[in-house]
Amino acid sequence: MASNNQDLPEATVQNVLEQDTLKWVFVGGKGGVGKTTCSSILGILLSQFRSSVLIISTDPAHNLSDAFQQRFTKSPTLVNGFTNLYAMEIDPTVEKEDSVSSDGMDDFLSDLTNAIPGIDEAMSFAEMLKLVQTMDYSVIVFDTAPTGHTLRLLQFPSTLEKGLAKVMSLKNRFGGMLSQMTRLLGVDEEFGEAAILGKLEGMKGIIEEVNRQFKDPDLTTFVCVCIPEFLSLYETERLVQELAKFEIDTHNIIINQVIFDEEVVESKLLKARMRMQQKYLDQFYMLYDDFNITKLPLLPQEVCGVDALKEFSHHFVTPYQPSLARGSVEELQNRVAALKEQLKDAEAELEKVQKGKQKI
């Protein structure tokens, strides 16, 4: 099926680039499949269509700095060589330290976040989104952590909502006691019960608005990145199912590290890998026949630095074409030349071994 796909959707990310209403583009998948490279290149390509683009890494491993070979922090930094592309690296599990200290509610909020599993990340994510919303970027690309963390990130709105409901129920049960204690202890009004609940309500408002935007296919899309192997196929299917559950649009899959049958390959290992990959490529096309599937070639070197990212980016907008067609006159001539070269090397090695034996 992979070999005859004229009727399938376009095998590029052009649809994402041309959808000018998009505000949020998530890039996710299993660890080690090339998410950071793909999100970096999507950012570069989008910067050609949009007035300003921000790439945010939410993966604690932070490979964004390595991809661009430039140091990024938790504040947006202009990427070298661009006038409208920015990048930042944040860690949702750490950012909460900065997010609460300015209001003097550290202890209370710390106890609260420990009492409700997952709410600490939800609150810090809300703080980050509040910061991002104050910045006027045309589109924001999320380079997400591996699938499990990404799915947790998408659950944050409901986590925060549940957490707030718990707090409100506690307030209803012990509200009078809390008020009396804050007055007895001489706690300032700005750090009292109303202020704390106000802060949480404010976060809930932000996260609900973002949640609404995330569920709007005109504003948000999710690009799944994978490699043609069983575990990655399984993880992609899980991710697509979960995204459907969260009502988040996804119609693009990037299959990275594909070995194309174009070289004079005599290696049994490479031939076996190609056969294995083709089996899973066929399954991808069968499962996701209505998706835009982009295949990227496995390279002999890493894609690091702006120049390398730009050079590799054309595979995202133009389907990769093997340089030589298998069975063509040119390919057969190349194969014969390679075999002659191998024969020549083998004869030279044999002659050397025979001379060594004669000396003994």
Side-chain angles (χ1 to χ4, degrees):
M1 185 168 181
S3 58
N4 182 23
N5 54 10
Q6 281 90 4
D7 298 330
L8 296 174
E10 188 181 3
T12 70
V13 297
Q14 198 68 38
N15 62 311
V16 175
L17 305 177
E18 291 176 354
Q19 190 178 337
D20 55 12
T21 58
L22 279 178
K23 172 74 176 173
W24 313 92
V25 178
F26 286 88
V27 181
K30 189 175 178 292
V33 296
K35 294 185 300 296
T36 300
T37 300
C38 290
S39 55
S40 301
I41 289 174
L42 275 171
I44 288 171
L45 292 171
L46 282 164
S47 71
Q48 299 168 15
F49 291 79
R50 301 297 194 92
S51 57
S52 58
V53 180
L54 174 65
I55 307 172
I56 299 179
S57 170
T58 60
D59 186 347
H62 293 324
N63 295 317
L64 209 54
S65 294
D66 299 324
F68 283 103
Q69 295 185 334
Q70 178 184 346
R71 179 84 179 97
F72 297 119
T73 63
K74 61 183 179 181
S75 301
T77 305
L78 187 66
V79 177
N80 293 336
F82 294 87
T83 56
N84 63 339
L85 178 62
Y86 299 80
M88 63 188 284
E89 297 179 329
I90 60 112
D91 184 353
T93 60
V94 174
E95 292 297 306
K96 64 185 172 77
E97 292 173 11
D98 298 329
S99 65
V100 296
S101 58
S102 58
D103 289 343
M105 306 177 193
D106 308 37
D107 295 337
F108 181 89
L109 287 176
S110 176
D111 292 342
L112 174 66
T113 57
N114 288 333
I116 304 166
I119 199 175
D120 53 344
E121 288 176 297
M123 288 169 67
S124 56
F125 186 62
E127 286 289 340
M128 186 271 291
L129 289 174
K130 184 160 65 175
L131 171 70
V132 168
Q133 284 194 315
T134 62
M135 306 169 186
D136 191 25
Y137 291 102
S138 174
V139 63
I140 293 157
V141 180
F142 278 93
D143 172 31
T144 67
T147 310
H149 297 282
T150 302
L151 295 177
R152 273 226 322 280
L153 179 144
L154 296 171
Q155 286 174 324
F156 284 166
S158 57
T159 301
L160 194 62
E161 209 163 343
K162 286 174 187 173
L164 193 64
K166 276 191 179 182
V167 173
M168 295 306 288
S169 69
L170 285 171
K171 180 201 176 242
N172 293 334
R173 286 169 63 189
F174 305 110
M177 191 188 300
L178 280 171
S179 299
Q180 285 178 13
M181 284 180 69
T182 51
R183 281 199 296 273
L184 282 170
L185 294 169
V187 175
D188 211 337
E189 277 299 310
E190 62 176 313
F191 301 139
E193 173 198 350
I196 292 165
L197 291 171
K199 182 178 175 69
L200 289 171
E201 282 284 7
M203 283 185 181
K204 182 170 178 275
I206 294 159
I207 211 112
E208 280 178 346
E209 170 58 22
V210 169
N211 194 31
R212 184 193 66 76
Q213 291 187 20
F214 282 2
K215 290 182 178 182
D216 186 342
D218 291 332
L219 298 174
T220 304
T221 194
F222 200 109
V223 178
C224 303
V225 182
C226 57
I227 56 177
E229 294 181 7
F230 170 74
L231 285 177
S232 191
L233 173 65
Y234 172 80
E235 195 91 342
T236 303
E237 176 59 16
R238 184 167 78 100
L239 180 57
V240 169
Q241 295 291 340
E242 289 294 323
L243 290 170
K245 194 188 295 180
F246 293 129
E247 300 174 59
I248 293 175
D249 172 75
T250 179
H251 47 258
N252 279 79
I253 293 176
I254 295 174
I255 307 178
N256 198 15
Q257 300 176 19
V258 177
I259 304 171
F260 285 86
D261 190 9
E262 60 175 332
E263 303 291 341
V264 181
V265 176
E266 299 305 325
S267 163
K268 288 183 180 179
L269 174 63
L270 276 179
K271 284 181 175 178
R273 295 289 297 178
M274 279 192 283
R275 284 196 298 272
M276 179 206 74
Q277 286 196 351
Q278 191 56 54
K279 179 177 73 172
Y280 293 115
L281 286 169
D282 290 343
Q283 289 186 37
F284 271 109
Y285 280 106
M286 186 175 65
L287 286 167
Y288 308 108
D289 58 348
D290 57 341
F291 276 61
N292 296 77
I293 298 179
T294 307
K295 292 192 293 184
L296 302 176
L298 176 66
L299 299 183
Q301 74 283 341
E302 291 179 303
V303 182
C304 286
V306 172
D307 291 339
L309 290 166
K310 281 182 176 177
E311 187 182 343
F312 195 56
S313 69
H314 73 271
H315 296 310
F316 283 64
V317 291
T318 306
Y320 183 79
Q321 294 296 330
S323 55
L324 291 176
R326 195 72 158 162
S328 67
V329 173
E330 192 181 355
E331 189 270 335
L332 288 168
Q333 285 173 339
N334 281 6
R335 208 190 310 175
V336 168
L339 288 169
K340 283 180 178 177
E341 195 64 36
Q342 285 177 17
L343 179 61
K344 187 178 170 183
D345 291 343
E347 284 175 341
E349 197 173 334
L350 176 62
E351 190 180 344
K352 198 184 294 183
V353 171
Q354 286 173 338
K355 280 182 181 177
K357 281 186 177 179
Q358 285 170 6
K359 285 179 184 177
I360 295 168

